CSV table of all heavy atoms in Angstrom, one decimal:
chain,number,residue,atom,x,y,z
M,75,VAL,N,86.6,79.4,103.0
M,75,VAL,CA,86.6,80.0,101.6
M,75,VAL,C,85.7,79.2,100.7
M,75,VAL,O,86.2,78.5,99.8
M,75,VAL,CB,88.1,80.1,101.1
M,75,VAL,CG1,88.1,81.0,99.8
M,75,VAL,CG2,89.0,80.9,102.0
M,76,VAL,N,84.4,79.1,101.0
M,76,VAL,CA,83.5,78.4,100.3
M,76,VAL,C,82.8,79.4,99.3
M,76,VAL,O,82.1,80.3,99.7
M,76,VAL,CB,82.4,77.7,101.2
M,76,VAL,CG1,81.5,76.9,100.3
M,76,VAL,CG2,83.1,76.8,102.2
M,77,LEU,N,83.0,79.0,98.1
M,77,LEU,CA,82.4,79.9,97.0
M,77,LEU,C,80.8,79.4,96.7
M,77,LEU,O,80.5,78.3,97.1
M,77,LEU,CB,83.2,79.8,95.7
M,77,LEU,CG,84.4,80.7,95.8
M,77,LEU,CD1,85.4,80.3,94.6
M,77,LEU,CD2,83.9,82.1,95.7
M,78,PRO,N,80.1,80.2,96.0
M,78,PRO,CA,78.8,79.8,95.7
M,78,PRO,C,78.8,78.5,94.9
M,78,PRO,O,79.7,78.2,94.1
M,78,PRO,CB,78.3,81.0,94.8
M,78,PRO,CG,79.1,82.1,95.1
M,78,PRO,CD,80.4,81.6,95.6
M,79,ASP,N,77.7,77.7,95.1
M,79,ASP,CA,77.6,76.4,94.5
M,79,ASP,C,78.7,75.3,94.8
M,79,ASP,O,78.7,74.3,94.2
M,79,ASP,CB,77.6,76.6,92.9
M,79,ASP,CG,76.4,77.3,92.5
M,79,ASP,OD1,75.3,77.3,93.2
M,79,ASP,OD2,76.5,78.1,91.5
M,80,ALA,N,79.5,75.6,95.8
M,80,ALA,CA,80.4,74.6,96.2
M,80,ALA,C,79.7,73.6,97.2
M,80,ALA,O,78.7,73.9,97.8
M,80,ALA,CB,81.6,75.2,96.9
M,81,GLU,N,80.2,72.4,97.2
M,81,GLU,CA,79.7,71.5,98.1
M,81,GLU,C,80.4,71.3,99.4
M,81,GLU,O,81.6,71.4,99.4
M,81,GLU,CB,79.6,70.0,97.5
M,81,GLU,CG,78.5,70.0,96.4
M,81,GLU,CD,78.2,68.5,95.9
M,81,GLU,OE1,79.0,67.7,96.1
M,81,GLU,OE2,77.2,68.4,95.3
M,82,VAL,N,79.8,71.2,100.5
M,82,VAL,CA,80.4,71.0,101.9
M,82,VAL,C,79.7,69.9,102.6
M,82,VAL,O,78.6,69.5,102.2
M,82,VAL,CB,80.3,72.2,102.7
M,82,VAL,CG1,81.0,73.6,102.1
M,82,VAL,CG2,78.8,72.6,103.0
M,83,VAL,N,80.4,69.3,103.6
M,83,VAL,CA,79.8,68.2,104.4
M,83,VAL,C,79.5,68.8,105.7
M,83,VAL,O,80.5,69.4,106.4
M,83,VAL,CB,80.7,67.0,104.4
M,83,VAL,CG1,80.0,66.0,105.4
M,83,VAL,CG2,80.8,66.5,103.0
M,84,VAL,N,78.3,68.7,106.2
M,84,VAL,CA,78.0,69.1,107.6
M,84,VAL,C,78.0,67.8,108.4
M,84,VAL,O,77.4,66.8,108.1
M,84,VAL,CB,76.6,69.8,107.7
M,84,VAL,CG1,76.3,70.1,109.1
M,84,VAL,CG2,76.5,70.9,106.8
M,85,GLU,N,78.8,67.9,109.6
M,85,GLU,CA,78.9,66.8,110.4
M,85,GLU,C,78.5,67.1,111.9
M,85,GLU,O,78.9,68.1,112.3
M,85,GLU,CB,80.3,66.2,110.4
M,85,GLU,CG,80.5,64.9,111.3
M,85,GLU,CD,81.9,64.6,111.5
M,85,GLU,OE1,82.4,63.9,110.6
M,85,GLU,OE2,82.6,65.0,112.5
M,86,VAL,N,77.5,66.3,112.4
M,86,VAL,CA,77.1,66.5,113.8
M,86,VAL,C,77.3,65.3,114.5
M,86,VAL,O,77.1,64.2,114.0
M,86,VAL,CB,75.6,67.0,113.9
M,86,VAL,CG1,75.5,68.4,113.4
M,86,VAL,CG2,74.6,66.2,113.0
M,87,ASP,N,77.7,65.4,115.8
M,87,ASP,CA,78.1,64.3,116.7
M,87,ASP,C,77.7,64.6,118.1
M,87,ASP,O,78.3,65.5,118.7
M,87,ASP,CB,79.7,64.0,116.5
M,87,ASP,CG,79.9,62.7,117.1
M,87,ASP,OD1,79.0,61.9,117.6
M,87,ASP,OD2,81.1,62.3,117.1
M,88,GLY,N,76.8,63.9,118.7
M,88,GLY,CA,76.4,64.2,120.0
M,88,GLY,C,74.9,63.6,120.3
M,88,GLY,O,74.2,63.3,119.3
M,89,PRO,N,74.5,64.0,121.5
M,89,PRO,CA,73.2,63.5,121.7
M,89,PRO,C,72.0,64.1,120.8
M,89,PRO,O,71.1,63.3,120.5
M,89,PRO,CB,73.0,63.9,123.2
M,89,PRO,CG,74.1,64.8,123.4
M,89,PRO,CD,75.1,64.6,122.5
M,90,ASP,N,72.1,65.3,120.6
M,90,ASP,CA,71.0,65.9,119.9
M,90,ASP,C,71.4,66.1,118.3
M,90,ASP,O,70.9,66.9,117.6
M,90,ASP,CB,70.7,67.3,120.4
M,90,ASP,CG,71.8,68.1,120.7
M,90,ASP,OD1,73.0,67.7,120.4
M,90,ASP,OD2,71.6,69.3,121.1
M,91,ALA,N,72.3,65.2,117.8
M,91,ALA,CA,72.8,65.3,116.5
M,91,ALA,C,71.6,65.2,115.6
M,91,ALA,O,71.5,66.0,114.5
M,91,ALA,CB,73.8,64.2,116.2
M,92,ALA,N,70.7,64.4,115.7
M,92,ALA,CA,69.7,64.1,114.8
M,92,ALA,C,68.7,65.3,114.6
M,92,ALA,O,68.3,65.6,113.5
M,92,ALA,CB,68.8,62.9,115.2
M,93,ALA,N,68.5,66.0,115.7
M,93,ALA,CA,67.7,67.2,115.7
M,93,ALA,C,68.5,68.4,115.0
M,93,ALA,O,67.8,69.2,114.5
M,93,ALA,CB,67.3,67.6,117.1
M,94,ALA,N,69.9,68.4,115.1
M,94,ALA,CA,70.6,69.5,114.6
M,94,ALA,C,70.8,69.5,113.1
M,94,ALA,O,70.9,70.5,112.5
M,94,ALA,CB,72.0,69.4,115.3
M,95,LEU,N,70.9,68.2,112.6
M,95,LEU,CA,71.3,68.1,111.2
M,95,LEU,C,70.4,68.9,110.1
M,95,LEU,O,71.0,69.7,109.4
M,95,LEU,CB,71.4,66.7,110.9
M,95,LEU,CG,72.1,66.5,109.3
M,95,LEU,CD1,73.4,67.0,109.4
M,95,LEU,CD2,72.1,64.9,109.0
M,96,ASP,N,69.1,68.7,110.2
M,96,ASP,CA,68.2,69.4,109.3
M,96,ASP,C,68.4,70.9,109.3
M,96,ASP,O,68.6,71.5,108.3
M,96,ASP,CB,66.8,69.0,109.5
M,96,ASP,CG,66.4,67.6,108.9
M,96,ASP,OD1,67.3,67.1,108.0
M,96,ASP,OD2,65.5,67.0,109.2
Side-chain angles (χ1 to χ4, degrees):
Chain M
V75 190
V76 179
L77 281 166
D79 296 329
E81 288 196 338
V82 296
V83 175
V84 178
E85 180 188 275
V86 286
D87 190 6
D90 50 1
L95 188 59
D96 277 344

